[in-house]
Amino acid sequence: MEGTVAYAQVREKTMWLQGTKYVGHYYEPLGLKPPEQANGDGAQLSLEGLTKINPDYIFLGYFN
């Protein structure tokens, strides 16, 4: 797969870009490329922040 892939965790009032420290087991074996901001721990995101990262693909998870 070409392009970047973001794993985003959507919570009640926030969104979190999952970092390679926590979801590297998805990126590496599947040959997926994380956005630069996903290296390490990841980061809390706003919708505007997500548009700045501009991943080619997004996997969403909802945690309440």
Side-chain angles (χ1 to χ4, degrees):
M1 177 182 293
E2 292 186 27
T4 58
V5 177
Y7 286 94
Q9 183 184 85
V10 180
R11 299 177 184 177
E12 189 172 324
K13 296 183 181 183
T14 62
M15 185 180 349
W16 188 263
L17 176 63
Q18 293 295 303
T20 54
K21 180 177 178 179
Y22 302 105
V23 293
H25 55 279
Y26 292 123
Y27 286 115
E28 295 166 17
L30 297 174
L32 304 176
K33 180 182 174 189
E36 184 178 316
Q37 297 84 344
N39 290 325
D41 290 337
Q44 187 171 337
L45 289 176
S46 62
L47 287 176
E48 294 82 10
L50 184 59
T51 62
K52 288 179 184 176
I53 292 172
N54 195 24
D56 296 295
Y57 304 94
I58 302 172
F59 291 102
L60 293 175
Y62 177 73
F63 297 91
N64 190 353

